[in-house]
């Protein structure tokens, strides 16, 4: 029976992978809709033929790796439980320590190292192609340093979450999911609060913006938007990437306005001011808090669904999987698998909300700066430097894009009725 189940899921994964390859490399022609042709959203107006070719090839590779890596997680977690490896991890952890917290930590370490090793080849392939296409500026050792930071931060946070969750499973056999979600809410908000101060600096160096004239202009925009900011931070991303970015992060008193140095180096001041106005709009429109609220609502539904699915799975197939109740540590890979699946299923909905917020922010930035030329050239440069996909295939947009495509954004700005709206306001 185990061999049969393993064969079914492996063949299913291979068939899915083959379909996604065919969809991305054969079915998706990359043709630009007629509405964008000849406008500033047309890649031929701001990208050379070579750049368009590189952008298309790089995007296909990135998208394929995404669609390969996500179901690969599900496959790995399922096989770990199916063939008893999770049971062995649990047994070794209990033989090593008597304290429950240490048992959980040891078990999670075995599981984390094993899954990291199995998924590492795909991660490395992604890094390799980002180097080939001149997006990444990192050496292999620098990239591995970030990977290890990711590993240990993830391990440390999961150690706390997993221990608490399994203790709740033992105490509240039926309603553990509700208790877990109740504690998950303040934990998530706390993490959002401390991330800009304690977590982000582990990856990069943050320092006040060196260009004080530009900082004054940005802070003036922030003042117009009622954003309580005294400094604009610069981060030295040029040692890691050639792509451009800026963002407003954190909540409460820890909110930060951050510019990548690559953005400072490659955009002019008007373009930077548009980008910063866009990022400030997320703060003004409360997108950060809307994002937290929607994430917590989805987490509530997710906890409930996982509890129901795990109960049904154990009742029907527990004997085959060597699982008698959900509070056994060996069930953790199944829970991780379900979390990943539910996140994937929910991603189209969260992406729709995110794209709506991005459109709001673009409109806000246009209204604030009144400079459509700078906005268009900023997006064109963002697409050029990051080899962004100007018009992605439908499935890619649905599952991957939290932003409108570059073609949509640039065309929307070009056709934005800025003068007409200003005249209407004057007449009123």
């Amino acid at each position: 029976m185990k061999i049969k189940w393993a064969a079914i899921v492996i063949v299913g994964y291979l068939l899915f992978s083959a379909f996604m390859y065919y969809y991305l490399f054969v079915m998706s022609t990359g043709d630009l809709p007629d509405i964008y042709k000849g406008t500033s959203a047309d890649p031929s107006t701001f990208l050379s033929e070579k750049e368009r070719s590189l952008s298309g090839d790089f995007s296909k590779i990135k998208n394929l790796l995404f669609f390969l890596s996500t179901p690969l997680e599900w496959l790995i977690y399922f096989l770990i439980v199916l063939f008893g490896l999770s049971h062995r991890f649990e047994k070794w952890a209990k033989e090593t320590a008597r304290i429950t917290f240490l048992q959980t930590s040891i078990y999670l370490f075995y599981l984390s190292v094993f899954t990291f090793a199995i998924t590492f080849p795909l991660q490395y392939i992604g890094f390799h192609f980002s180097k080939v296409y001149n997006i990444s500026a990192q050496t292999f050792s620098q990239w591995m340093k970030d990977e290890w930071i990711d590993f240990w931060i993830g391990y440390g946070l999961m150690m706390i979450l997993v221990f608490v969750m399994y203790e709740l499973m033992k105490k509240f056999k039926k309603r553990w999911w509700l208790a877990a979600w109740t504690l998950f809410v303040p934990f998530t908000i706390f993490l959002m609060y401390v991330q800009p101060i304690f977590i982000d600096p582990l990856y990069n160096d943050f320092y006040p913006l060196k260009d004080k004239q530009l900082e004054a202009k940005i802070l003036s925009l922030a003042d117009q938007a009622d954003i309580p900011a005294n400094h604009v931070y610069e981060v030295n991303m040029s040692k890691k990437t050639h792509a451009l970015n800026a963002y407003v992060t954190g909540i409460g008193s820890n909110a930060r306005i951050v510019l990548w140095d690559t953005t400072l180096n490659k955009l002019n001041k008007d373009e930077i001011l548009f980008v910063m106005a866009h990022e400030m709009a997320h703060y003004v429109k409360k997108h950060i808090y809307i994002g937290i609220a929607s994430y917590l609502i989805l987490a509530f539904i997710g906890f409930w669904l996982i509890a129901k699915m795990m109960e049904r799975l154990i009742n029907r197939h527990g004997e085959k999987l060597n699982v008698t109740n959900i509070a056994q540590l060996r069930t953790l890979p199944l829970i991780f698998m379900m979390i990943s699946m539910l996140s994937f299923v929910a991603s189209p909905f969260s992406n729709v909300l995110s794209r709506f917020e991005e459109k709001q922010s673009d409109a806000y930035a246009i209204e604030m700066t009144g400079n459509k030329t700078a906005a268009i050239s900023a997006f064109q440069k963002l697409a050029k430097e990051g080899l962004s996909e100007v018009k992605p295939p439908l499935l890619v947009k649905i599952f991957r894009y939290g932003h409108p495509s570059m073609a949509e954004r640039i065309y929307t700005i070009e056709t934005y009725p800025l003068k007409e709206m200003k005249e209407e306001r004057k007449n009123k």
Side-chain angles (χ1 to χ4, degrees):
M1 182 60 73
K2 289 183 179 181
I3 299 298
K4 181 181 177 181
W5 282 9
I8 290 172
V9 295
I10 291 172
V11 169
Y13 175 73
L14 293 176
L15 289 174
F16 174 79
S17 301
F19 168 75
M20 289 312 306
Y21 178 86
Y22 182 78
Y23 175 77
L24 294 170
F25 285 82
V26 180
M27 290 178 61
S28 303
T29 60
D31 291 340
L32 191 71
D34 290 340
I35 191 173
Y36 300 129
K37 291 179 179 177
T39 70
S40 55
D42 189 337
S44 63
T45 64
F46 61 92
L47 296 176
S48 67
E49 186 177 346
K50 181 181 178 181
E51 287 169 337
R52 296 198 300 275
S53 176
L54 290 173
S55 173
D57 293 343
F58 183 57
S59 297
K60 288 175 184 177
I61 293 169
K62 281 193 305 180
N63 294 331
L64 180 62
L65 289 174
F66 168 80
F67 284 109
L68 292 182
S69 61
T70 302
L72 180 62
E73 286 183 22
W74 313 340
L75 178 65
I76 292 169
Y77 286 135
F78 181 71
L79 294 180
I80 285 174
V81 175
L82 182 64
F83 288 109
L85 188 56
S86 183
H87 187 191
R88 286 192 181 187
F89 289 160
E90 183 182 24
K91 182 181 177 183
W92 294 340
K94 289 182 176 180
E95 289 173 349
T96 305
R98 293 185 178 181
I99 300 173
T100 306
F101 179 74
L102 291 178
Q103 290 175 357
T104 304
S105 302
I106 294 167
Y107 172 88
L108 185 61
F109 181 76
Y110 288 143
L111 180 63
S112 300
V113 170
F114 183 81
T115 53
F116 178 86
I118 295 296
T119 57
F120 181 79
L122 273 182
Q123 295 292 107
Y124 176 75
I125 290 171
F127 165 70
H128 169 73
F129 280 106
S130 68
K131 289 287 288 183
V132 169
Y133 285 87
N134 200 36
I135 300 300
S136 175
Q138 288 182 301
T139 63
F140 176 75
S141 61
Q142 290 170 332
W143 175 74
M144 277 303 301
K145 179 184 175 183
D146 281 351
E147 289 292 301
W148 281 115
I149 292 173
D150 279 343
F151 176 87
W152 287 111
I153 290 177
Y155 172 73
L157 294 175
M158 288 308 303
M159 186 167 58
I160 297 168
L161 291 171
V162 170
F163 173 74
V164 172
M165 183 175 69
Y166 274 84
E167 289 301 303
L168 292 173
M169 287 175 179
K170 295 171 187 175
K171 188 170 184 179
F172 307 101
K173 297 187 185 300
K174 292 293 184 180
R175 300 289 183 184
W176 67 266
W177 63 272
L178 184 57
W181 179 81
T182 303
L183 293 178
F184 185 71
V185 171
F187 181 82
T188 300
I189 295 171
F190 171 75
L191 208 58
M192 290 284 292
Y193 182 77
V194 302
Q195 180 178 335
I197 306 301
F198 297 106
I199 297 178
D200 290 348
L202 295 174
Y203 294 90
N204 301 293
D205 297 325
F206 291 81
Y207 39 84
L209 186 62
K210 296 171 185 175
D211 187 335
K212 295 305 174 184
Q213 286 186 335
L214 178 60
E215 183 181 49
K217 291 182 179 180
I218 294 172
L219 291 177
S220 176
L221 288 179
D223 185 57
Q224 293 176 46
D226 292 325
I227 296 177
N230 297 319
H231 297 287
V232 177
Y233 288 88
E234 184 177 340
V235 56
N236 60 333
M237 287 297 294
S238 56
K239 65 180 183 180
K240 293 187 176 183
T241 182
H242 298 295
L244 315 181
N245 199 13
Y247 56 91
V248 176
T249 186
I251 58 176
S253 60
N254 280 1
R256 278 186 170 186
I257 302 172
V258 180
L259 269 167
W260 286 11
D261 61 345
T262 51
T263 305
L264 290 166
N265 295 336
K266 294 176 182 177
L267 298 189
N268 64 42
K269 290 188 178 181
D270 286 339
E271 292 163 348
I272 290 171
L273 289 175
F274 168 79
V275 171
M276 294 313 298
H278 167 94
E279 298 302 332
M280 290 174 191
H282 290 305
Y283 183 95
V284 173
K285 300 290 185 180
K286 310 297 183 186
H287 292 164
I288 295 172
Y289 299 100
I290 292 170
I292 293 173
S294 60
Y295 175 71
L296 292 176
I297 291 169
L298 288 174
F300 179 86
I301 298 169
F303 273 115
W304 177 76
L305 284 174
I306 288 169
K308 296 299 180 184
M309 290 190 295
M310 284 296 294
E311 182 180 3
R312 186 175 180 183
L313 182 65
I314 292 170
N315 288 338
R316 295 184 62 181
H317 304 293
E319 186 177 344
K320 298 183 185 72
L321 298 173
N322 196 21
V323 173
T324 57
N325 68 81
I326 194 173
Q328 293 173 299
L329 273 175
R330 70 192 71 167
T331 62
L332 186 58
L334 292 175
I335 292 174
F336 281 169
M337 179 186 74
M338 291 177 182
I339 291 172
S340 180
M341 285 179 167
L342 291 174
S343 298
F344 186 76
V345 170
S347 61
F349 304 100
S350 57
N351 285 340
V352 165
L353 174 61
S354 178
R355 289 196 295 269
F356 172 76
E357 291 175 342
E358 292 298 328
K359 289 178 181 178
Q360 276 192 323
S361 298
D362 285 348
Y364 180 93
I366 281 292
E367 289 293 319
M368 176 174 269
T369 61
N371 194 336
K372 292 169 66 170
T373 302
I376 290 170
S377 60
F379 279 133
Q380 289 176 338
K381 289 179 182 179
L382 284 165
K384 182 174 183 175
E385 297 298 332
L387 291 181
S388 300
E389 201 166 15
V390 176
K391 193 70 178 71
L394 181 61
L395 287 180
V396 175
K397 178 181 178 179
I398 290 172
F399 286 99
R400 291 207 67 195
Y401 270 55
H403 291 67
S405 69
M406 279 298 182
E408 290 177 69
R409 301 182 87 172
I410 295 172
Y411 182 76
T412 299
I413 290 170
E414 184 177 282
T415 56
Y416 192 85
L418 185 61
K419 291 181 179 178
E420 291 87 339
M421 292 183 74
K422 284 184 176 179
E423 287 175 3
E424 285 179 16
R425 286 174 189 160
K426 286 180 181 178
N427 293 333
K428 288 180 182 179

